[in-house]
Amino acid sequence: MRSSDIIDMAASAYGERPAFTAGKDSLSYEQLAAAARWAADELRTQGHRSLVYLGQSGLAFPLAMFAAAYAEVPLIPLNYRLAHAQLREQIAMLDAPLLLLDDAYTPVLDGVSVPHRLTAPWSAEARAAESHELAFVCDDDSQPALILFTSGTGGTPKQAILRHSHLTSYVVQSIEFGGAGDDEAALTSVPPYHIAGAGAVISNTFAGRRVVYLPDFSPESWLDTVREQGVTSAMVVPTMLARIVESLGDQPAATPTLRHIAYGGARMPQPVIEAALQLFPDAEFVNAYGLTETSSTIALLDGAAHRAAVESRDPAVRRRLASVGRPLPGVEIEIRDDSGRPLATGQQGGLHVRGPQVSGEYRAIGSTVDAEGWFATGDVAGFDHDGYLFIEGRSDDIIIRGAENISPDVIEDVILRHPDVREVAVVGVPDEEWGQEIVAVVVVDEGTTLDAEELKRWVRSSLRGSLTPRSVVFVAELPYTPTGKLQRAKVLEEVCGTGPST
Amino acid sequence: MSIAIGKRYTCPSCGSEVIVTKPGNGPLTCCETAMEIKEAKPLPSSD
């Protein structure tokens, strides 16, 4: 099945219902299908072999996504926050592209010769076109649908290839066609170059749920949009939820329509989710775990499990608030040791995943899945005895101190609970005696001062001595990727003056 | 027996799965037997 089948099905089943909203402008399923077909014919006629999207989220994004699918070319969304020189390098690597770009990014074109259109007039032209039948129909779902530059928290960004079969398997396996009521609306504030941005387009189109875009996230505009648009579900990355929680203080959110809040894309600090559960008492929270290479979500912790964890006195059940839940239908997950042998339940090791939505393929590198179809995610994880999956972190981030494997997350959660701490990164630096030593890099709340010794005592009061940071460094801010992932390699380099020590 | 758009069917004999992309008249058959509708437990939206 191709992504274009999804818009065909939605147009015939949902017709004139609004599909996407940005500001005061909306597109129906029928309008979107017609405009995307027109744009696809243009792409084919002009011989473009890829469609590049350099813009913020908005109605042009789903239009570009489905136009590329109809035209049998991959869509390649670029990160508009990158430096212009870097964007020019990426554009130069692409195959016969048509570059769609927002007006704000035209300086990127300086000194570059590439066919391009501005998103606003391009969308307007496509939307003005008469209802349109395609001169060609393709049913090959092994073609590339989406190419995403991975965020590169560690090394150089790679171009992950997702084929139509990967994207549609994820949707068909876990979402019911027409499953959304016609009052439902999903608020999307992740950018188009994030896998969740593309995932939101096809999964909500399949379900029949209107998508509302919020390109410039702020806690206030997010809350206003939820109220004005009657938003029923929203997806946020942890840094966004942290800012929403901070802006609410101790006032409950007063968002009566909002029934589901999904979060993912990075690890959620425990104090943030605990506060959010209090501030949104009527919303179900969903923790979604996935990677670009796996077409987004492969495991999730649902609302019932969140509630059970908060209400339970059993430590094993309470701990599940930090879990990513259970694998999705059609997804197999295996935990292996360094030599590739499967580990017993309860043990931690490398997370390997297999299933029809798993790609694991990169341009210029090829497929990285093994002969049996398993993809090594690079995450360290383990299952508990009730089948809940816990992600300990990227294998590169695990601190090995005196042969003890230490997940920085555990220490970070304790430090974050200190009332004067705003953000923290715990990293391992090379140490002659222990192999690695623990360093906490801390941002304190404005107007407060905190003593390193006091913070160490704070950690020691909750965790064993071997988990107490050797030193504490105070900084004004921490480096994150545009999608909210902490850049530990950068912390090590800039703050601790060392490269990655693994 | 009409076949509704978006419904999934499986073949009890060979295990093949299909999804209906255009509605029409049934029944759907595979391996000379009628295919069975597949009820899926819907998951909460994660994006």
Side-chain angles (χ1 to χ4, degrees), chain A residues 9 12 170 172 200 203-204 297, chain B residues 5-6 8 20-21 43 46-47:
Chain A
M9 290 167 72
S12 86
Y170 158 65
V172 170
S203 65
N204 288 303
T297 312
Chain B
I5 190 167
R8 279 176 282 172
V20 180
T21 58
L43 288 166
S46 61
D47 46 24

Side-chain angles (χ1 to χ4, degrees), chain A residues 1 12 71 125 148 186 203 221 261 300 306 325 357 415 417 473 476:
Chain A
M1 191 174 173
S12 86
E125 205 178 325
L148 290 172
S203 65
S221 62
I261 300 175
L300 62 82
H306 277 81
Q357 68 181 73
I415 293 176
R417 282 178 207 279
V473 181

Side-chain angles (χ1 to χ4, degrees), chain A residues 60-78:
Chain A
F61 180 59
L63 180 53
M65 212 175 145
F66 290 124
Y70 279 130
E72 301 176 50
V73 301
L75 179 74
I76 310 173
L78 298 182

Side-chain angles (χ1 to χ4, degrees), chain A residues 18-27 59 181-188 209-215 220-234 254-259:
Chain A
F20 289 86
T21 300
K24 292 194 179 354
D25 196 9
S26 284
L27 260 180
L59 302 184
D182 49 13
D183 66 322
E184 288 189 32
L187 180 57
T188 297
R209 186 181 297 109
R210 180 169 66 106
V211 170
V212 177
Y213 280 121
L214 178 66
E220 296 75 21
S221 62
W222 189 88
L223 288 162
D224 287 345
T225 308
V226 170
R227 291 169 191 140
E228 282 161 18
Q229 295 281 346
V231 165
T232 53
S233 61
T255 47
T257 57
L258 188 59
R259 302 196 289 266

Side-chain angles (χ1 to χ4, degrees), chain A residues 428-439:
Chain A
V429 298
D431 180 83
E432 279 186 17
E433 189 182 354
W434 295 96
Q436 280 186 298
E437 255 305 352
I438 305 167
V439 175

Side-chain angles (χ1 to χ4, degrees), chain A residues 160-341:
Chain A
I161 299 176
L162 295 166
R163 296 174 184 273
H164 284 282
S165 61
H166 299 129
L167 296 181
T168 58
S169 299
Y170 158 65
V171 170
V172 170
Q173 296 277 345
S174 55
I175 297 162
E176 197 64 26
F177 184 78
D182 49 13
D183 66 322
E184 288 189 32
L187 180 57
T188 297
S189 24
V190 289
Y193 53 83
H194 191 285
I195 181 62
V201 170
I202 62 165
S203 65
N204 288 303
T205 301
F206 190 73
R209 186 181 297 109
R210 180 169 66 106
V211 170
V212 177
Y213 280 121
L214 178 66
D216 286 309
F217 174 86
S218 72
E220 296 75 21
S221 62
W222 189 88
L223 288 162
D224 287 345
T225 308
V226 170
R227 291 169 191 140
E228 282 161 18
Q229 295 281 346
V231 165
T232 53
S233 61
M235 196 276 167
V236 288
V237 298
T239 46
M240 291 175 183
L241 192 62
R243 289 181 59 196
I244 293 164
V245 162
E246 195 181 15
S247 87
L248 287 168
D250 48 16
Q251 291 296 311
T255 47
T257 57
L258 188 59
R259 302 196 289 266
H260 299 276
I261 300 175
Y263 59 91
R267 205 187 66 91
M268 176 65 80
Q270 290 300 289
V272 173
I273 184 63
E274 284 167 15
L277 283 160
Q278 298 281 328
L279 295 168
F280 294 89
D282 303 321
E284 301 255 312
F285 280 83
V286 173
N287 185 0
Y289 165 74
L291 295 87
T292 302
E293 294 88 336
T294 62
S295 315
S296 200
T297 312
I298 55 172
L300 62 82
L301 185 78
D302 65 12
H306 277 81
R307 265 195 315 278
V310 173
E311 288 163 8
S312 177
R313 285 192 196 161
D314 178 350
V317 178
R318 285 196 70 87
R319 205 172 87 88
R320 282 181 205 153
L321 200 54
S323 150
V324 296
R326 295 192 162 114
L328 251 51
V331 171
E332 293 173 85
I333 290 178
E334 212 169 74
I335 307 299
R336 299 181 183 175
D337 69 13
D338 288 343
S339 61
R341 274 188 299 267

Side-chain angles (χ1 to χ4, degrees), chain A residues 77-79 82-83 86-87 89-90 93-94 147-161 193 292-293 361-365 481-482 487:
Chain A
L78 298 182
N79 181 345
L82 293 178
Q86 222 176 333
L87 284 168
E89 264 172 43
Q90 294 188 346
M93 290 161 77
L94 305 174
I147 295 176
L148 290 172
F149 284 83
T150 58
S151 58
T153 50
T156 331
K158 292 182 279 195
Q159 297 177 53
I161 299 176
Y193 53 83
T292 302
E293 294 88 336
E361 182 187 1
Y362 306 93
R363 263 193 75 192
I365 296 172
T481 68
Q487 292 173 297

